[in-house]
Amino acid sequence: DGGITQSPKYLFRKEGQNVTLSCEQNLNHDAMYWYRQDPGQGLRLIYYSQIVNDFQKGDIAEGYSVSREKKESFPLTVTSAQKNPTAFYLCASSTSTGVGEKLFFGSGTQLSVL
Amino acid sequence: GQQLNQSPQSMFIQEGEDVSMNCTSSSIFNTWLWYKQDPGEGPVLLIALYKAGELTSNGRLTAQFGITRKDSFLNISASIPSDVGIYFCAGAFSGGSNYKLTFGKGTLLTVNP
C-alpha cells in the first residue's frame, strides 16, 4: 500500500538533547512537509521540500533542521535550541507544491519532554 | 499573513443531527480544503474545492466555496458516532511558486449516541 510512515509514534526528549523524527513516503511525491500541531491550534508549517536536496523554512523553523537526501525521506531534527518542543508532529507529502495540490499526511509523532 | 477563523471551536450533538461549521478568511483563497483528524492520527482529506460557488458532496458531507472566496462551510448530515474528531479547514492562494496552506484551528465534534 502507498502511504506516509512516521516513526516513532511516541518520543521523549531530555533537556539539551537533539531528537530526530522519521518520515518516509512511497507515493513518489516530490514535495514533503513538516507541521507542528499544538492542542486547540491549527497546523503550523516548520519546513518543506519541493525536490531532493532542497528545502525551505516554513513559519516556525527556529530550533528545527531537516534534510532531503532521498525523494522518499524527509527527517526532522528537533534541536536543543527548540525550547518548547512538546507537540504533535505531522509529516505530509504532495505531488508538487503547486496551488491546490492535495496533502497526504502521516499518522504523526507525539514528542514530549522528560 | 492570512488568518483563518474557524467556528465553532467545538460542538456536542446527538446522533442523527445535522452539523454545520465554517471558515472565514481575511484574504481571498482560490482553494479550500476540509480535513478530518481522528485522535492521535494525521488529518485525512474530505473535500477539496477549487472554484467560487462550488458545492461538492462526499457521502453525508457537503462543502461549499463561498462566492466572496473568503469563506467556506462544511455540513454533515445525519451524524453518526464515527463522525467524532477534529475538522480542519485549510485555504491556499496563488502567489508565487510556493505552496502554503493556512489552517484553521479546528472544530472538535462530539457525537452522543
Side-chain angles (χ1 to χ4, degrees):
Chain A
D1 282 356
I4 303 176
T5 302
Q6 289 187 240
S7 63
K9 184 66 176 176
Y10 301 96
L11 188 59
F12 297 90
R13 192 191 90 166
K14 295 179 182 178
E15 196 165 332
Q17 186 182 40
N18 293 350
V19 292
T20 297
L21 284 61
S22 170
C23 179
E24 303 278 331
Q25 55 100 358
N26 60 5
L27 298 168
N28 200 33
H29 284 169
D30 284 317
M32 297 187 75
Y33 314 76
W34 274 105
Y35 288 91
R36 171 179 171 141
Q37 184 177 24
D38 294 283
Q41 300 295 318
L43 278 63
R44 293 184 290 170
L45 184 66
I46 304 172
Y47 269 98
Y48 66 99
S49 168
Q50 300 182 73
I51 198 167
V52 175
N53 292 323
D54 180 69
F55 49 83
Q56 307 292 332
K57 291 182 178 179
D59 300 318
I60 55 166
E62 187 174 349
Y64 300 97
S65 65
V66 294
S67 62
R68 188 84 188 277
E69 297 176 1
K70 298 186 297 182
K71 185 176 185 178
E72 56 270 23
S73 180
F74 192 41
L76 173 74
T77 297
V78 184
T79 74
S80 57
Q82 173 49 248
K83 298 306 179 187
N84 183 25
T86 297
F88 192 55
Y89 290 87
L90 287 161
C91 179
S93 71
S94 61
T95 306
S96 73
T97 57
V99 171
E101 287 295 337
K102 299 169 191 173
L103 287 175
F104 294 85
F105 286 89
S107 59
T109 293
Q110 175 64 50
L111 176 62
S112 303
V113 177
L114 289 177
Chain B
Q2 298 77 38
Q3 293 192 13
L4 264 186
N5 292 313
Q6 185 171 352
S7 64
Q9 283 187 325
S10 61
M11 302 182 74
F12 298 85
I13 63 170
Q14 293 297 126
E15 183 177 359
E17 289 183 358
D18 296 343
V19 172
S20 183
M21 60 192 78
N22 69 83
C23 279
T24 58
S25 168
S26 59
S27 304
I28 289 175
F29 286 151
N30 60 12
T31 299
W32 281 99
L33 305 174
W34 284 93
Y35 287 88
K36 183 195 176 193
Q37 184 179 28
D38 291 327
E41 298 294 328
V44 174
L45 182 65
L46 298 173
I47 293 178
L49 302 162
Y50 300 106
K51 290 194 296 188
E54 182 179 356
L55 185 72
T56 298
S57 293
N58 178 6
R60 293 178 295 105
L61 278 62
T62 302
Q64 184 159 26
F65 194 142
I67 291 292
T68 65
R69 296 170 62 192
K70 290 186 176 183
D71 59 0
S72 178
F73 69 78
L74 176 71
N75 285 342
I76 304 173
S77 63
S79 59
I80 59 178
S82 63
D83 289 335
V84 165
I86 303 175
Y87 292 80
F88 289 100
C89 63
F93 70 107
S94 58
S97 59
N98 295 322
Y99 171 63
K100 290 179 68 176
L101 275 179
T102 300
F103 284 85
K105 293 184 177 182
T107 294
L108 174 61
L109 179 63
T110 303
V111 180
N112 294 318

